[in-house]
Amino acid sequence: MIESIVTVALVANVLPILPVVLQFTEGLSARERRALLLRAVLAGNLVAAGAALGGGWLIHTTRVTVDDLRVSGGIILWSSPPSTCCSAVSSASCRSAR
């Protein structure tokens, strides 16, 4: 159980994206920001639960292999430049996010 939690925490990598989230929610009140972040966390958990419950079936049904996932992940990583994570915020925010 603890291994799964550690794996999810490492994959999620929440801390580097925190400045970006704060920048996007800058004009919102504390109540609006809390509601937005709660919806985002709930949506993320629903996606994770769906993947955990139905991912095996989907992969088995579509006959996707681990190598297929590795190739597609590599294509996604290498096709997008690192700067795309900060394309919607100012350059000052990008520098502080690093």
Side-chain angles (χ1 to χ4, degrees):
M1 176 75 172
I2 192 72
E3 292 173 2
S4 300
I5 293 172
V6 170
T7 301
V8 169
L10 291 174
V11 170
N13 205 9
V14 175
L15 291 179
I17 203 160
L18 187 60
V20 176
V21 171
L22 293 175
Q23 178 74 26
F24 283 138
T25 61
E26 186 176 3
L28 300 177
S29 69
R31 185 175 186 178
E32 291 171 326
R33 182 180 289 171
R34 194 175 313 115
L36 178 67
L37 294 177
L38 179 62
R39 283 195 315 249
V41 168
L42 288 174
N45 284 326
L46 284 174
V47 169
L53 296 174
W57 172 82
L58 182 64
I59 287 175
H60 177 71
T61 302
T62 58
R63 296 182 181 155
V64 174
T65 65
V66 174
D67 288 333
D68 296 335
L69 294 174
R70 288 179 182 154
V71 169
S72 62
I75 290 171
I76 290 170
L77 285 175
W78 287 104
S79 66
S80 61
S83 62
T84 57
C85 71
C86 297
S87 63
V89 295
S90 68
S91 60
S93 296
C94 285
R95 283 192 296 275
S96 68
R98 293 183 195 152

